[in-house]
Amino acid sequence: MGNSIIVGGSYAGLAAALELHSRLPDNETVTVVSLSEEFIFYPSLIWVVQGERELADISFPVRPVLEKAGIRFLHARLEHIDPGNKSITLDDGQELPFEKLLIATGGEWDWGHTPGLKPKPDGFTISMLSPRAALEARNEWQALLADPGPIVIGLDLNASLYGAAYEFALNLDIALRKAGVREETQITFITPEPYLGHFGHDGLGNSRQIIEGAFASQDIIYLTEAQIDHIEEETVVLGNMHARLPSRFTMIVPPYRGIRPVREVPGLSDKDGRIPVDGDYRSQQYPDIFAAGAAIQLKPQVTTLLPCGVFIPGTASAEMGRVAATNIAADLGYGELLEKPATAMKSFYVLDSAGHGLFMSLGPRSWLNVQLNVPGPWGHWAKVMTEKYQMWQLQSGRY
């Protein structure tokens, strides 16, 4: 009996676990190790900050889903990977042997990348990139409503979670208008991208025109090819533009890097902790280790003046997880190998501004690349429906 271990319980990890278990006989064990017992629909954390949603609305426990499918679940933190002995060590001291290992942990936010970037009280920003941070940011949001002032939203160099920054800025505008204080604030959006809607992909169809139009209609100032030097209390300093932007409410998406146990394994990852993989999501250095989702190295296909990360939607991460699972099963003697590199993935993403939305379908063929501007509140409801549908798929084991 073999044991395949999947580390991570979000899009890539859950999708991989369900796919792998469906391809293996009962004498093969699938184990999921995750630091979180909950699946969180992270794109909806923007509304948690504003108090429009609660965490219970956008999450569900993963243990029942996995155990119902016959998959072992361990709530623990990965501490060490030993490729030579084919084992991992958890924070509770357990050492687990593996026949195959899939790393689907995503990564960790590199808050030390820029001085002052850390959320308060360690720095000068707020964050909505984790459940705890989103809840803590509520107090800052209420303080802003009580005493409005300038706002800076944006991305640091090499950041890739573009959707979070764009949606946060656009939805803040709507929330401030509802509160009747929009005229007392100024929203400035900063990004290292050469233009809005670049996403590290040189744009997605007409994403530039749609997002620039949305910012213009909602009176959001933006600066592209902007490099943050450091952040002070109530000020964001741009080094390459020699500008000081006043800000009472600052949210900057930092770059992502691989988790510490991955970075510590010689040859497993690049300098940022991302794992180089082949088209079957197998590590280029260790054939029994696979990776999927935001844990993999995905190099930009275009050159930009400032370094930009590459946007990976959750739907693409889940597809990578399924392909990796297919190939793990094939390695174990069940099925055929499948090559489907990240550039061949199909995925979709709904960017919501509450006033209108942008539907983006991405794929390797031209007919799969569709971008639609959805006017009115339908864009918002499309986002909510996407959240509910994807959570239902995962929770019911159909994703």
Side-chain angles (χ1 to χ4, degrees):
M1 181 179 73
N3 184 30
S4 297
I5 299 178
I6 297 168
V7 185
S10 193
Y11 279 103
L14 275 181
L18 295 167
E19 182 71 24
L20 181 58
H21 182 266
S22 72
R23 290 176 174 271
L24 297 180
D26 291 341
N27 65 335
E28 294 280 353
T29 302
V30 177
T31 301
V32 172
V33 176
S34 178
L35 182 60
S36 174
E37 292 188 283
E38 302 285 320
F39 173 87
I40 306 289
F41 191 79
Y42 279 86
S44 292
L45 286 175
I46 58 173
W47 296 310
V48 172
V49 175
Q50 299 165 18
E52 296 182 15
R53 306 291 292 280
E54 298 298 331
L55 292 179
D57 301 328
I58 61 170
S59 64
F60 63 82
V62 297
R63 184 186 296 274
V65 176
L66 295 171
E67 292 185 346
K68 180 180 179 181
I71 299 167
R72 182 186 181 201
F73 176 74
L74 296 177
H75 177 218
R77 181 193 300 272
L78 175 67
E79 283 294 327
H80 180 67
I81 303 170
D82 186 343
N85 290 321
K86 296 180 64 173
S87 68
I88 63 171
T89 304
L90 307 181
D91 60 350
D92 60 3
Q94 285 190 78
E95 185 174 332
L96 304 177
F98 65 82
E99 195 166 354
K100 302 293 176 182
L101 173 66
L102 171 61
I103 299 170
T105 53
E108 61 185 27
W109 300 111
D110 188 3
W111 293 111
H113 186 261
T114 298
L117 180 62
K118 293 180 181 179
K120 298 176 181 180
D122 299 317
F124 302 106
T125 71
I126 67 98
S127 172
M128 46 79 204
L129 299 174
S130 72
R132 178 179 177 180
L135 289 173
E136 291 176 347
R138 279 185 175 179
N139 290 334
E140 295 293 328
W141 169 247
Q142 292 300 321
L144 179 70
L145 293 180
D147 186 15
I151 299 167
V152 175
I153 308 297
L155 302 106
D156 204 354
L157 299 184
N158 284 310
S160 58
L161 201 64
Y162 300 97
Y166 282 123
E167 287 185 301
F168 196 60
L170 291 164
N171 278 271
L172 275 187
D173 168 79
I174 298 297
L176 290 167
R177 292 181 192 277
K178 287 181 179 178
V181 296
R182 180 63 175 93
E183 292 185 358
E184 300 172 56
T185 64
Q186 174 180 289
I187 302 176
T188 302
F189 187 90
I190 56 177
T191 176
E193 299 166 277
Y195 55 83
L196 297 184
H198 183 277
F199 293 111
H201 290 275
D202 198 18
L204 302 171
N206 60 345
S207 59
R208 176 178 185 173
Q209 291 79 5
I210 293 175
I211 296 176
E212 285 183 353
F215 273 39
S217 66
Q218 295 180 227
D219 197 25
I220 298 174
I221 299 169
Y222 62 88
L223 299 171
T224 57
E225 295 184 336
Q227 180 175 356
I228 302 171
D229 181 78
H230 65 279
I231 301 172
E232 303 172 358
E233 186 173 4
E234 298 195 356
T235 305
V236 177
V237 181
L238 303 182
N240 63 337
M241 296 182 176
H242 306 289
R244 297 176 62 86
L245 306 178
S247 180
R248 300 274 293 282
F249 189 85
T250 304
M251 196 292 291
I252 303 294
V253 176
Y256 220 35
R257 64 177 181 174
I259 61 173
R260 177 189 53 77
V262 168
R263 301 196 307 270
E264 290 178 346
V265 177
L268 178 58
S269 68
D270 62 17
K271 63 180 180 61
D272 296 317
R274 303 296 185 93
I275 301 172
V277 295
D278 295 326
D280 55 1
Y281 297 93
R282 188 189 310 270
S283 161
Q284 294 178 359
Q285 184 73 20
Y286 300 100
D288 292 318
I289 297 179
F290 293 73
I296 73 167
Q297 180 194 73
L298 192 57
K299 296 180 179 179
Q301 300 298 303
V302 293
T303 302
T304 53
L305 177 65
L306 297 178
C308 299
V310 179
F311 176 56
I312 304 177
T315 48
S317 293
E319 183 68 7
M320 292 181 204
R322 284 189 287 267
V323 174
T326 299
N327 291 316
I328 290 173
D331 271 13
L332 297 174
Y334 307 101
E336 301 295 325
L337 289 171
L338 173 63
E339 288 232 355
K340 195 173 184 181
T343 52
M345 289 294 168
K346 64 180 186 299
S347 62
F348 71 89
Y349 186 84
V350 179
L351 192 151
D352 166 47
S353 74
H356 52 82
L358 170 61
F359 173 84
M360 297 181 291
S361 173
L362 317 174
R365 296 180 178 84
S366 58
W367 59 271
L368 287 172
N369 291 310
V370 178
Q371 294 77 40
L372 298 174
N373 188 12
V374 183
W378 299 110
H380 175 67
W381 289 113
K383 184 75 173 190
V384 174
M385 289 174 64
T386 298
E387 168 203 302
K388 298 301 182 186
Y389 180 61
Q390 289 184 5
M391 287 178 60
W392 170 79
Q393 283 184 304
L394 286 164
Q395 199 167 8
S396 60
R398 294 179 172 88
Y399 199 71

